[in-house]
């Protein structure tokens, strides 16, 4: 231990193990930036992959009536599985890696995304579909140029819920050593370092709120015809 | 599939089912703490949610609580409370407090929405028959809100069981402890056995709560399948663990 008298005054909040400590922000700056970047990467990759998996599943559930309850039931049941158990159960397949966390988070995101994509597509009025077919739209053009754009507001709302949940859940990935800001929270617990725990926790909530706002704005920009409606 | 036989062998070993860190003891801790948290959560959140729905106020508050709960990592709250001064710190009080905090949002939102969505004609008719405001709440709104209230209880229970698992990473006991110790010893058989036990408990709670949800609805025969409750599943879900 360094005697307190020998330490500059500015560092005292670290010695006092204060919850709020500006000194921590400057001295561990690169560590914090790395954790935020890792957290962001895990979240974005998980939600993007989740959306790419959810779309064909939703289309399948729409096309084949009999599969609808199966697809919805399976994706909804996933939320029952506690994250710590899910990450552990993936371990034999993907090991102590970031992949384990991403696969787990993709599975959780499906709970929300499959349902919202399906709801969005089913909300497209039948007259709109008829009109597009009458104008000579092929099935794929109908999907990409008419149905998905009209489903976008609902899909974006699902993406927002999935993203915010994913940011929070990423922290549990620390059990396999890839929890982004969760790694700092866990380290702070083991070393009894309050500033590290509080800073990482606040950054995590802030990240969720910022991503939510980004998606909200992006959604508004992508659906200009609804601007000012809701 | 060596990992699966390893996990099954761990579960089959009688030594793991005895003593202070045996499976029954861990299960008891997990269920006891979760039940206490959901119970306290109900006492706090249900009266508030029902009343807010009755006076048709505080919708923004109920929704904001749900949204905020989704953004706050359960793990971070558990650690923050574990490092907080007395009466918190490493121990049951902190774990229980965190569990209650995450039980409240789904209970509050569902109770609020449940009363809010009661057919206004039914409320009007009750008023016209001379029922007082509190009688309307107890005899008309509450019975009609039961499916959604129970939906909230189910979501809270699932959420709390998952969070109680994470509590093992911090200080708590429960079945999560078996997983965490498995990681600590790099014993894959143990951590997978723990994960299976947690999974089984979570599915049992979900299944049991669904049954309960159907049993306690006073109007279930009159109404048939509860489409409202099923559809509200995700919309009013909050928190993530």
């Amino acid at each position: 231990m360094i005697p307190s008298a020998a330490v500059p005054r500015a560092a005292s909040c670290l010695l006092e193990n204060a919850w709020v400590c500006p000194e921590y922000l400057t001295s561990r700056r690169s560590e914090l930036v790395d954790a935020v970047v890792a957290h962001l990467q895990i979240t974005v990759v998980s939600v993007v992959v989740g959306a790419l998996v959810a779309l064909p599943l939703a289309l399948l559930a729409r096309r084949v009536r009999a599969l609808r309850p199966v697809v919805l039931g399976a994706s909804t049941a996933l939320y029952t599985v506690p994250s710590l158990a899910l990450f552990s159960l993936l371990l034999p397949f993907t090991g102590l890696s970031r992949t384990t966390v991403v696969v787990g988070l993709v599975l959780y995101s499906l709970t929300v995304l499959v349902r919202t994509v399906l709801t969005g597509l089913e909300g497209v009025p039948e007259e709109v579909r008829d009109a597009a077919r009458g104008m000579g739209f092929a099935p794929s053009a109908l999907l990409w140029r008419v149905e998905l754009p009209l489903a976008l507001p609902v899909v974006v709302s699902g993406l927002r819920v999935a993203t915010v949940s994913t940011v929070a859940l990423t922290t549990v990935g620390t059990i396999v050593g890839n929890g982004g800001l969760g790694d700092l929270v866990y380290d702070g617990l083991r070393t009894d370092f309050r500033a590290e725990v509080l800073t990482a926790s606040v950054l995590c909530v802030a990240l969720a709120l910022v991503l939510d706002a980004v998606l909200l704005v992006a959604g508004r920009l992508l659906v200009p015809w609804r601007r000012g409606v809701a | 599939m060596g990992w699966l036989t390893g996990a099954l062998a761990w579960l089959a070993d009688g030594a793991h089912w005895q003593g202070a860190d045996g499976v029954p003891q861990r299960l008891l801790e997990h269920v006891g703490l979760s039940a206490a948290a959901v119970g306290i959560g109900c006492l706090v959140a249900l009266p508030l949610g029902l009343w807010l729905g009755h006076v048709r106020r505080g919708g923004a508050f109920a929704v904001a609580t749900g949204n905020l709960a989704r953004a706050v990592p359960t793990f971070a709250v558990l650690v923050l409370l574990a490092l907080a001064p007395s009466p918190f710190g490493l121990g049951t009080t902190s774990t229980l407090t965190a569990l209650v905090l995450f039980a409240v949002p789904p209970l509050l939102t569902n109770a609020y929405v449940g009363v809010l969505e009661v057919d206004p004609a039914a409320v009007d008719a009750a008023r016209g028959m001379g029922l007082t405001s509190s009688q309307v709440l107890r005899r008309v709104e509450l019975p009609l809100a039961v499916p959604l209230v129970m939906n909230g209880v189910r979501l809270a229970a699932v959420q709390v069981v998952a969070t109680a698992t994470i509590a093992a990473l911090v200080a708590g006991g429960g079945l999560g402890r078996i997983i965490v110790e498995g990681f600590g010893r790099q014993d894959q058989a143990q951590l997978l056995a723990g994960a299976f036990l947690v999974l089984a408990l979570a599915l049992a709670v979900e299944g049991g709560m669904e049954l309960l949800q159907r049993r306690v609805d006073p109007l279930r025969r009159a109404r048939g399948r509860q489409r409202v409750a099923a559809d509200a599943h995700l919309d009013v879900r909050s928190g993530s663990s």
Side-chain angles (χ1 to χ4, degrees), chain A residues 17 19 185 187-198, chain B residues 77-86 88-90 94 170:
Chain A
N17 196 14
W19 286 103
V185 173
D187 182 69
L189 172 71
R190 281 179 295 197
T191 55
D192 188 24
F193 191 172
R194 289 173 177 164
E196 186 175 30
V197 171
L198 185 63
Chain B
V77 172
L78 284 160
V79 174
L80 284 168
L81 287 172
L83 294 187
S86 161
F88 299 108
L90 286 175
S94 295
V170 183

Side-chain angles (χ1 to χ4, degrees), chain B residues 58-99:
Chain B
F61 169 71
V63 172
T65 314
N67 288 343
L68 189 65
R70 198 182 286 131
V72 177
T74 51
F75 176 54
V77 172
L78 284 160
V79 174
L80 284 168
L81 287 172
L83 294 187
S86 161
F88 299 108
L90 286 175
T92 313
T93 312
S94 295
T95 312
L96 191 60
T97 307
L99 295 183

Side-chain angles (χ1 to χ4, degrees), chain A residues 79 83 88 115 165 175, chain B residues 70 154 179 183 192 234 241:
Chain A
Y79 96 99
S83 52
S88 306
R115 190 173 284 259
S165 311
I175 187 80
Chain B
R70 198 182 286 131
R154 186 179 57 81
I179 301 179
F183 269 102
L192 287 172
L234 285 165
S241 2

Side-chain angles (χ1 to χ4, degrees), chain B residues 27-54:
Chain B
L27 178 65
L28 206 66
E29 289 166 1
H30 206 127
V31 172
L33 210 53
S34 302
V38 174
I40 297 171
C42 284
L43 289 179
V44 176
L46 292 187
L48 182 61
L50 293 171
W51 181 73
L52 286 176
H54 177 66

Side-chain angles (χ1 to χ4, degrees), chain A residues 19 79-84 88-89 92-93 111 115 161 164-165 168-169 171-172 175 182 185-186 192 194 197 201 204, chain B residues 3 70-71 73 75-76 79-80 83-84 154-155 162 165-166 169 179 183 191-192 195 198-199 202 206 234 237 240-241:
Chain A
W19 286 103
Y79 96 99
T80 313
V81 184
S83 52
L84 199 65
S88 306
L89 291 171
F93 307 101
T111 301
R115 190 173 284 259
V161 172
V164 171
S165 311
L169 269 172
T171 54
V172 184
I175 187 80
V185 173
Y186 202 22
D192 188 24
R194 289 173 177 164
V197 171
S201 305
C204 196
Chain B
W3 57 274
R70 198 182 286 131
F75 176 54
V79 174
L80 284 168
L83 294 187
R154 186 179 57 81
L155 291 172
T165 316
I166 298 172
L169 265 177
I179 301 179
F183 269 102
L191 77 88
L192 287 172
V198 168
L199 179 62
E206 164 79 16
L234 285 165
R237 188 194 157 203
S240 357
S241 2

